[in-house]
Amino acid sequence: MGKKIYYIGIIFVVLVWGTYPVFTKHLLTLYTPSLWDTAASLISVTCLLIANRRKLKWLDWKHFKVALPTGLFFSAAGLTQKFGLTMTTPAMCAFLENLTCVCVPVLMLIFAKQKITLPKILSALLCLGGVFILCGGNLSVGFDPGMILCALAGVFYAVNIAGTGAFAKRLDTGLYLLIQFAVQFVVSASYSLLFVDDPKFSFAPLHLGALVGIVLLSTVLCWVIRTACLKKLDPSFIAVAMPSSSVVTGVISILAGSDTLSFALVGGAILIFVAIVISGLADSKQK
């Protein structure tokens, strides 16, 4: 199937990640964001250790020198995103995270000397325009603390995406992610110990089951798929394709009553969808 399997993988990730903010928004009333990330990363590390136990002997400095810094940005993105989600709606959080599509082409130019083509510029501007519409056409008025944190998470994720696309192509996906999640565990656990005064963590079987299920599907499986796709597809396409998950989030959030149907959501979704199409066509022609 060639590259088609990787495009299918991205579609799967988009659908799963599109539902993630809605469910997580409710569960974050029961879990402190940093404790959520601590538990999630511990589950992820455990699963990846089991899955990659025979490949641990392949761990070398090449994996660490890429995965440690990208893991730090991944950890920062996860924390800021979840704290932001507690202060804004799922759809708004999902859309603002997608500022990655603006940052990644610039970072790929810096990291890998990858030329910024006209389609990439156009798709990034359309994505940014969608964010502008989401804010009611007035960024100075539209941004609240939750929105700022979600937008900042997008910038941190962009560094992770570009760093992975530029430097991790020859690294083993499982071992690479194992280091990243280990870094996230250290960062999240340290943050919880140093800065969380009123920790929340539910041990109710239903709540823990939901947390474990979400982590296994959206974190472990989807990050393995996305990292594998980053090695085969243009990172700039990945950065622009991911915003389509926010369209899924918007639809589900509206149906769940967390968001209301508005011109901002519809207009932003249309612009981002057009950006995805442009980026996808450019990527297919490039390769």
Side-chain angles (χ1 to χ4, degrees), residues 59 84 86 102 109 113 142 202-203 216 218-219 226 238 268 277:
L59 270 176
T86 63
V102 179
L109 175 65
K113 308 301 181 184
S202 174
F203 289 94
L216 290 177
S218 68
T219 303
R226 200 205 71 160
I238 303 291
V277 173

Side-chain angles (χ1 to χ4, degrees), residues 156-236:
F156 290 147
Y157 276 131
V159 180
N160 176 270
I161 290 173
T164 299
F167 305 117
K169 291 184 182 297
R170 297 184 179 181
L171 303 180
D172 181 83
T173 298
L175 296 178
Y176 177 76
L177 286 175
L178 175 62
I179 299 171
Q180 280 204 341
F181 286 124
V183 172
Q184 185 187 35
F185 174 76
V186 173
V187 171
S188 301
S190 299
Y191 185 95
S192 299
L193 291 173
L194 295 173
F195 300 109
V196 176
D197 297 324
D198 184 24
K200 292 185 296 181
F201 195 95
S202 174
F203 289 94
L206 181 62
H207 300 154
L208 280 178
L211 186 152
V212 172
I214 289 175
V215 170
L216 290 177
L217 181 61
S218 68
T219 303
V220 178
L221 180 59
C222 284
W223 274 92
V224 168
I225 293 174
R226 200 205 71 160
T227 302
C229 291
L230 269 171
K231 296 181 179 182
K232 299 296 182 179
L233 304 176
D234 186 344
S236 294

Side-chain angles (χ1 to χ4, degrees), residues 33-223:
S34 57
L35 289 177
W36 171 288
D37 273 1
T38 301
S41 56
L42 180 60
I43 295 169
S44 301
V45 168
T46 302
C47 291
L48 288 170
L49 273 174
I50 295 172
N52 296 281
R53 61 188 182 279
R54 295 180 180 177
K55 297 190 292 183
L56 293 177
K57 59 185 178 181
W58 296 348
L59 270 176
D60 55 18
W61 175 239
K62 293 180 180 179
H63 285 82
F64 282 97
K65 72 177 182 180
V66 180
L68 287 177
T70 57
L72 286 174
F73 281 98
F74 170 67
S75 305
L79 284 175
T80 52
Q81 181 191 48
K82 290 178 184 65
F83 277 112
L85 183 56
T86 63
M87 293 181 276
T88 190
T89 65
M92 193 64 72
C93 176
F95 274 107
L96 290 172
E97 177 195 327
N98 293 312
L99 286 174
T100 50
C101 68
V102 179
C103 302
V104 166
V106 177
L107 290 169
M108 287 302 295
L109 175 65
I110 297 172
F111 292 162
K113 308 301 181 184
Q114 187 179 92
K115 183 180 179 181
I116 301 179
T117 62
L118 182 59
K120 289 180 182 179
I121 294 174
L122 181 58
S123 61
L125 290 176
L126 286 171
C127 186
L128 192 60
V131 172
F132 183 72
I133 291 177
L134 278 176
C135 298
N138 190 338
L139 294 177
S140 62
V141 175
F143 270 87
D144 57 37
M147 294 169 68
I148 291 173
L149 288 173
C150 291
L152 187 60
V155 176
F156 290 147
Y157 276 131
V159 180
N160 176 270
I161 290 173
T164 299
F167 305 117
K169 291 184 182 297
R170 297 184 179 181
L171 303 180
D172 181 83
T173 298
L175 296 178
Y176 177 76
L177 286 175
L178 175 62
I179 299 171
Q180 280 204 341
F181 286 124
V183 172
Q184 185 187 35
F185 174 76
V186 173
V187 171
S188 301
S190 299
Y191 185 95
S192 299
L193 291 173
L194 295 173
F195 300 109
V196 176
D197 297 324
D198 184 24
K200 292 185 296 181
F201 195 95
S202 174
F203 289 94
L206 181 62
H207 300 154
L208 280 178
L211 186 152
V212 172
I214 289 175
V215 170
L216 290 177
L217 181 61
S218 68
T219 303
V220 178
L221 180 59
C222 284
W223 274 92

